[in-house]
Amino acid sequence: MDLLNVSEMVAAHARLRPADPGAKDSRRALSFAQWDARASRLAAALHGLGLAKGDRVGILAYNCVEWMEIYVALARAGLVAVPLNFRLVTPEIEYILEHCEARVVIVQDALLDRLDPLRGRLPAAAGRFIHFGAERVPEGWLGLEALVAAAPEQAPKVTVLPSEPWAFMYTSGTTGRPKGAVRSHAGSALIALATALDMGCSREDRALLVMPMCHANSLYFSFTFTCLGAAVVIDDRRSFDPEALLATFERERISFTSLVPTHYVTVLALPEDVRAKYDVSSVRRLMISSAPARRDTKLAAMAYFRNAGLYELYGSTEAGWVTLLRPHEQLDKLGSVGREWVGTGPVRILDGEGNEVPDGEVGELHSRTPFVFDGYWKDPQKTAEAFRGAWCSVGDMAYRDAQGYIHLVDRKSNMIISGGENIYPSEVEAVLAAHAAVREVAVIGVPDPKWGESVRAVVVCHDGYRVTEAELIDWCRERLAGYKRPKQVVFVGESDLPRTATGKIQHRILRSRAVVQAAETD
């Protein structure tokens, strides 16, 4: 069972094909032997700082090859990775690090300003703040390269069981507070193996990681190819550049990548003569996931990437992969997210009492997979709410058609997906409600041709107070990550907010109004 640990996967390839390319970004390339050696030294260095098996390590960085080194080193040392979204602001990061009781924090130089104010406020990590990405190490920080250089070549002797945690993937909840989904070594490795089996991936592939490496999507896909001994290329640009993506496809002979619909929309919006400059014939498999994909986007992507099979994935941080729409099914089932992955149980669609609903009827989607998460860290109540026995749900509503294909009809209560990022209105509402002028606020997602959805705040002001849209957006700037901030603020009277009989604001009706308004202006 050792190979249900990514550390052992890398070690095996280092023995069998040491000179083969393992991982690279625009600055550095690692063979499997180099990757394995650096992971062992980093694992030893972390134990040398006083860490013990099971301790948590926060990681804040843009996409870079160091993510691959750190993930493997932590697996080798029996430590738990806590990837932090680089879009978060300091208070959001502080909550996660305190909640998981991180003993070490590793930060890229470009994001130093997010963490530096916390060095005196995180007692569990006192003296263990590690910096990388620039030659000069700031005062009070440890340098990653110096730690690796001074560490023993041999990793510490730690027995790491497949059932033990490898990562806490923090995902926001309907309460607005992030929840730490516990992912085991075995669950993560089984996702990699299921992906390789169902999608026909091989050692000859070259995978490009574009999605943030703090996300489950890149974490799982990266180690699918690592498991096989294939090379992983990391797009380390700070913002998405569609033409640069095409250039990377050509230069690196990329055969696979996973993108959100917004990425495809941006690539396909390039002038035809620009797209024609690049040879994308090496691309054999394309994944579209993390947000609903429009029919016209998928058709255009299939037309441009003519050699590639297009897959659509539905899953979650908690459940892992749930369904897959395969290339041969795209034209007939474009509105579906497919059927279950190879090796997983059938999806169940249940009513409020836990009974399966007939085909064609909407219910809550539940799945039972071999790679489901192990619960939320320090939150038994939310963990219990996520399961009906062995069946996991994140609250998505769907129906199954007569051929067994799953169609999503709604998402977690009120959730917004903008550019592949999950946004929970209650978190944004809490920030806006703290402004002196705001009496009531409802946050909804509205249709956006580029991002899928954008954030709109519907605000009722206190009598006698006046505030502008720009002022409220600025209010959010220091309190919320950029992707969560409202792009629009609409001011209404109290009677304009639709309510239930108990006085709760009906976000569903506000969203419906926004959809109608968008359609009328098209």
Side-chain angles (χ1 to χ4, degrees):
M1 297 294 284
D2 283 349
L3 286 179
L4 293 182
N5 182 316
V6 71
S7 162
E8 296 301 327
M9 295 177 189
V10 171
H13 292 304
R15 292 191 300 270
L16 297 171
R17 50 191 65 83
D20 281 9
K24 67 173 292 188
D25 61 14
S26 66
R27 303 168 299 112
R28 297 171 56 220
L30 295 172
S31 68
F32 276 107
Q34 292 168 328
W35 187 358
D36 183 63
R38 282 183 61 87
S40 287
R41 285 182 176 273
L42 180 53
L46 291 169
H47 272 257
L49 292 176
L51 271 69
K53 179 180 172 181
D55 283 342
R56 275 75 63 195
V57 177
I59 312 155
L60 180 66
Y62 293 110
N63 278 12
C64 57
V65 76
E66 282 83 359
W67 276 104
M68 305 295 280
E69 295 177 333
I70 293 167
Y71 277 137
V72 173
L74 298 183
R76 188 160 296 180
L79 302 172
V80 181
V82 184
L84 301 164
N85 192 325
F86 57 77
R87 294 184 175 92
L88 299 179
V89 295
T90 300
E92 296 169 310
I93 293 169
E94 182 176 16
Y95 172 79
I96 293 172
L97 294 175
E98 285 185 337
H99 186 262
C100 75
E101 301 171 53
R103 299 283 316 282
V104 167
V105 183
I106 303 175
V107 186
Q108 189 178 30
D109 182 74
L111 294 163
L112 192 68
D113 62 321
R114 312 276 181 90
L115 262 296
D116 204 46
L118 300 181
R119 282 194 298 121
R121 305 211 298 264
L122 297 172
R128 302 187 196 91
F129 283 73
I130 300 174
H131 165 276
F132 74 91
E135 290 186 11
R136 189 186 71 82
V137 178
E139 184 177 353
W141 288 76
L142 303 170
L144 178 67
E145 291 305 317
L147 286 171
V148 169
E153 292 183 2
Q154 296 297 319
K157 299 295 184 183
V158 180
T159 300
V160 182
L161 301 177
S163 59
E164 292 176 332
W166 178 34
F168 290 179
M169 309 298 292
Y170 272 82
T171 174
S172 294
T174 54
T175 63
R177 284 295 197 182
K179 303 190 297 292
V182 179
R183 301 290 328 185
S184 71
H185 292 279
S188 302
L190 288 170
I191 287 181
L193 295 171
T195 304
L197 178 64
D198 209 342
M199 295 180 61
C201 305
S202 76
R203 188 173 301 152
E204 283 65 50
D205 275 307
R206 287 179 67 83
L208 178 65
L209 302 184
V210 178
M211 301 276 279
M213 295 182 71
C214 55
H215 276 207
N217 185 289
S218 276
L219 177 66
Y220 299 150
F221 278 123
S222 63
F223 290 108
T224 293
F225 295 94
T226 297
C227 172
L228 296 168
V232 174
V233 180
I234 298 155
D235 184 353
D236 56 3
R237 293 174 181 83
R238 303 286 168 81
S239 59
F240 183 68
D241 183 330
E243 186 172 357
L245 178 76
L246 300 184
T248 302
F249 283 158
E250 179 177 5
R251 183 180 65 254
E252 300 287 348
R253 304 306 296 161
I254 297 300
S255 62
F256 168 86
T257 197
S258 174
L259 303 171
V260 300
T262 301
H263 291 144
Y264 287 100
V265 169
T266 309
V267 167
L268 297 167
L270 290 169
E272 187 174 349
D273 62 327
V274 173
R275 284 186 279 124
K277 292 191 315 184
Y278 298 99
D279 178 5
V280 296
S281 60
S282 63
V283 182
R284 299 292 179 178
R285 299 174 189 84
L286 286 171
M287 179 62 71
I288 190 166
S289 65
S290 302
R294 291 166 55 105
R295 177 186 178 90
D296 55 350
T297 299
K298 293 172 72 174
L299 290 172
M302 287 188 283
Y304 177 58
F305 295 99
R306 295 177 183 174
N307 291 345
L310 183 67
Y311 297 79
E312 183 170 5
L313 160 69
Y314 165 70
S316 66
T317 301
E318 292 87 345
W321 303 160
V322 176
T323 65
L324 183 67
L325 188 66
R326 299 161 178 87
H328 68 278
E329 300 166 324
Q330 290 288 347
L331 293 178
D332 293 333
K333 292 292 183 179
L334 264 177
S336 162
V337 291
R339 292 181 287 190
E340 63 269 15
W341 286 72
V342 169
T344 70
V347 170
R348 300 177 72 192
I349 309 295
L350 307 180
D351 63 19
E353 285 71 48
N355 303 308
E356 292 215 43
V357 301
D359 290 349
E361 287 193 18
V362 173
E364 186 175 345
L365 187 153
H366 290 71
S367 63
R368 184 176 64 183
T369 72
F371 27 76
V372 70
F373 81 132
D374 295 327
Y376 296 114
W377 176 249
K378 295 196 298 190
D379 199 337
Q381 180 180 341
K382 292 297 182 184
T383 299
E385 291 172 2
F387 287 93
R388 280 185 180 269
W391 297 84
C392 177
S393 172
V394 290
D396 289 336
M397 307 301 288
Y399 69 90
R400 179 189 284 108
D401 67 22
Q403 291 77 43
Y405 288 83
I406 304 300
H407 300 254
L408 297 178
V409 296
D410 202 351
R411 294 188 298 275
K412 294 170 253 187
S413 179
N414 300 330
M415 191 178 78
I416 301 164
I417 301 180
S418 182
E421 294 281 0
N422 293 350
I423 303 165
Y424 288 85
S426 58
E427 184 179 10
V428 185
E429 288 166 356
V431 169
L432 285 166
H435 192 283
V438 175
R439 177 176 176 177
E440 286 191 286
V441 57
V443 169
I444 59 170
V446 297
D448 187 293
K450 180 176 182 181
W451 302 110
E453 291 182 309
S454 60
V455 179
R456 174 185 291 178
V458 183
V459 171
V460 178
C461 288
H462 286 291
D463 292 341
Y465 279 81
R466 296 186 64 84
V467 66
T468 67
E469 178 182 49
E471 287 171 340
L472 288 181
I473 292 174
D474 283 341
W475 173 261
C476 295
R477 197 173 306 279
E478 295 181 359
R479 296 167 174 84
L480 289 170
Y483 70 92
K484 300 178 185 177
R485 296 174 204 145
K487 301 298 185 291
Q488 299 173 304
V489 178
V490 177
F491 296 96
V492 299
E494 184 179 2
S495 61
D496 294 317
L497 291 177
R499 300 177 187 275
T500 66
T502 58
K504 293 181 180 179
I505 297 172
Q506 294 182 298
H507 291 71
R508 175 181 53 82
I509 294 177
L510 288 174
R511 288 196 300 271
S512 298
R513 291 177 183 173
V515 170
V516 171
Q517 290 170 357
E520 290 174 348
T521 57
D522 283 347

